[in-house]
Amino acid sequence: MEVTLKIFRYNPEVDKKWHYETYSIEAEETDRILDLLEKVKGHVDGTLSFRRSCAHGVCGSDALRINGRNYLACKTLVRDVGHKITVEPLLGLKVIKDLIVDMEPFFNNYKKVLPYFINESPLPADGKERLQSPEDRARFDETTKCILCAACTTSCPSYWGNESYLGPAALVTAHRFIFDSRDEAASQRLEILSETNGVARCHTIFNCTMACPRDIKITKAIGELKMAMVTGKLD
Amino acid sequence: MGLKRNVGLAVALRYKGKTPFWSYILHRIGGSALFTFFTIYIMALAGVDFASGILGNWLFQIFSLSFGLFHIINGLRITILDLFPNLIRRQREAIWLEWAVFLPLYGFMLFVVFRSAVGG
Ligand code: HEM
Ligand code: FES
């Protein structure tokens, strides 16, 4: 079977403006979009640039806009998107080359929510782990699944309009630590989220939830953060 | 380095979000429609002639009240989801419910506007 692959191309060294290039290639229904990109790069045009690493939906390198919405190229099959496929870089981040975007602003926002475990209390008497009940662990299980692919943040109209907005991915990370019973910096993080570019910029649009390749209910997590901020309660 | 960060309105509108994304866009239009409606309404109350003319126009009424009614019902959905984050799991049903509330009210509103347009 033949599919038509239309790819966003931009080489800053020669192009003044971006353009699309179209390739017709042989593919199976069960091929992943990443396989098609590899085919083009390997057999048709070696200059095509895109990020990938694990190729198994774990590293989060290959989030792309495929037929108009964000997916991980390595988790999306031809049969999911049809035989006419348009592949474009993520929205709201600068394009460095072809499908590669500058992730720096994304990670800068991520760093702002203190994305690490904070607990200054002495270790338990046996010097081993800080224990947690299965229920307490389950409280933030979903938000531990984020792979920082940026599919959510770059699907968010609020982020498109304002790159200082922390964005869904950073908020998911904040949720992961704020609702962790072993962490002690919840109030510090909630303070950060209550600033102008924090949770208040979320307009409950759900693009992030639908774009997440790990099925994290992101809008719900942000809703819980909004509530925690207003009530000061973490339940 | 590279292209500018470029998400113009046309590109943004082409993003394939689903119903909540379109509700979001209609909500912006609805907010502006309500703002316009009330501005004209207050001007008409203050006795500005051309404002009374616009307010009496049934096309203007239909336009601003349609989007305005959507804004109000959709605003209630957002408010409820914000107050009860657990319900966000049921956001698809929330959209259905929103339309189930909106459509009868919308029908009633159209009826009232047309009746007064025809009845003078
Ligand atoms: C019962 C009536 C109303 C309800 C329930 C309501 C609800 C809401 C809610 C929940 C939002 C925030 C939406 C979001 O976060 O995305 C909002 C925004 C807004 N509303 Fe209303 N609203 C009502 C009446 C009005 C009226 C009368 C006006 C105009 C005079 C208005 C103008 C706006 C505007 C301009 C926005 C901002 C939209 C934006 O952020 O771009 N609303 N409304
Ligand atoms: S290449 Fe690692 S997530 Fe797709």
Side-chain angles (χ1 to χ4, degrees):
Chain A
M1 170 194 75
E2 205 170 71
V3 298
T4 314
L5 196 58
K6 189 170 138 192
I7 304 181
F8 179 104
R9 301 297 307 265
Y10 171 67
N11 178 352
E13 284 168 13
V14 290
D15 298 334
K16 279 221 174 71
K17 200 179 176 308
W18 58 272
H19 63 283
Y20 289 106
E21 232 150 272
T22 306
Y23 308 87
S24 290
I25 51 173
E26 275 301 310
E28 305 284 331
E29 291 284 353
T30 48
D31 276 346
R32 303 164 309 165
I33 307 309
L34 182 62
D35 298 323
L36 307 188
L37 294 175
E38 298 280 18
K39 236 180 215 176
V40 171
K41 188 171 174 68
H43 301 283
V44 187
D45 182 353
T47 67
L48 175 65
S49 304
F50 55 90
R51 285 200 184 98
R52 65 82 110 177
S53 181
C54 71
H56 288 84
V58 180
C59 72
S61 315
D62 63 343
L64 290 168
R65 207 157 21 113
I66 299 169
N67 283 0
R69 57 154 283 195
N70 292 353
Y71 292 95
L72 279 187
C74 64
K75 277 186 84 173
T76 308
L77 306 183
V78 170
R79 69 165 179 233
D80 298 332
V81 293
H83 298 171
K84 279 196 173 159
I85 305 164
T86 305
V87 184
E88 297 163 293
L90 297 173
L91 282 177
L93 295 168
K94 284 180 193 161
V95 176
I96 296 174
K97 189 177 178 214
D98 295 340
L99 301 172
I100 298 182
V101 291
D102 176 14
M103 297 283 280
E104 200 73 22
F106 172 80
F107 284 112
N108 285 342
N109 282 346
Y110 169 71
K111 287 177 203 155
K112 285 184 195 150
V113 302
L114 316 178
Y116 38 81
F117 186 64
I118 300 177
N119 188 329
E120 306 293 345
S121 313
L123 280 174
D126 63 5
K128 292 188 184 159
E129 303 151 76
R130 300 178 196 275
L131 294 177
Q132 184 172 47
S133 71
E135 293 75 36
D136 283 346
R137 176 61 181 74
R139 180 64 191 87
F140 63 96
D141 188 60
E142 187 150 309
T143 43
T144 62
K145 294 182 180 151
C146 175
I147 54 173
L148 292 173
C149 66
C152 58
T153 295
T154 60
S155 74
C156 174
S158 209
Y159 181 75
W160 298 337
N162 169 11
E163 76 181 318
S164 306
Y165 168 39
L166 290 173
L171 296 176
V172 160
T173 304
H175 182 282
R176 182 254 169 270
F177 289 103
I178 287 172
F179 288 94
D180 184 338
S181 61
R182 300 163 301 178
D183 188 277
E184 290 178 339
S187 54
Q188 208 178 327
R189 289 196 191 86
L190 286 173
E191 191 65 37
I192 295 165
L193 302 194
S194 68
E195 283 167 17
T196 319
N197 289 311
V199 290
R201 297 259 171 214
C202 165
H203 291 281
T204 335
I205 306 167
F206 288 96
N207 275 5
C208 55
T209 301
M210 293 178 193
C212 179
R214 308 295 307 243
D215 294 330
I216 302 172
K217 306 282 176 289
I218 304 177
T219 314
K220 179 164 180 284
I222 300 175
E224 290 169 3
L225 290 171
K226 287 178 183 166
M227 217 45 188
M229 219 173 70
V230 178
T231 62
K233 289 201 205 107
L234 296 178
D235 33 58
Chain B
M1 177 180 55
L3 283 180
K4 279 206 300 286
R5 181 178 185 271
N6 176 19
V7 203
L9 187 62
V11 181
L13 288 177
R14 259 186 277 127
Y15 187 85
K16 295 254 166 34
K18 295 196 178 145
T19 30
F21 177 49
W22 287 103
S23 304
Y24 163 76
I25 291 163
L26 287 176
H27 197 86
R28 306 305 103 175
I29 300 172
S32 319
L34 280 174
F35 183 76
T36 313
F37 181 83
F38 283 111
T39 308
I40 301 275
Y41 188 78
I42 290 164
M43 284 165 75
L45 282 184
V48 180
D49 274 351
F50 83 90
S52 310
I54 297 174
L55 195 64
N57 183 316
W58 63 274
L59 273 176
F60 171 77
Q61 291 174 3
I62 291 208
F63 171 80
S64 52
L65 295 178
S66 303
F67 284 108
L69 183 65
F70 181 85
H71 180 96
I72 291 169
I73 308 292
N74 191 55
L76 290 175
R77 174 183 64 97
I78 296 172
T79 309
I80 292 168
L81 293 184
D82 271 345
L83 288 176
F84 305 99
N86 264 330
L87 292 180
I88 292 180
R89 259 178 308 166
R90 299 252 161 265
Q91 70 88 8
R92 279 159 61 95
E93 289 82 350
I95 297 254
W96 288 118
L97 184 64
E98 175 180 346
W99 284 105
V101 173
F102 174 78
L103 287 175
L105 286 175
Y106 185 59
F108 180 67
M109 188 206 82
L110 285 184
F111 171 72
V112 172
V113 172
F114 277 123
R115 197 183 50 180
S116 56
V118 174

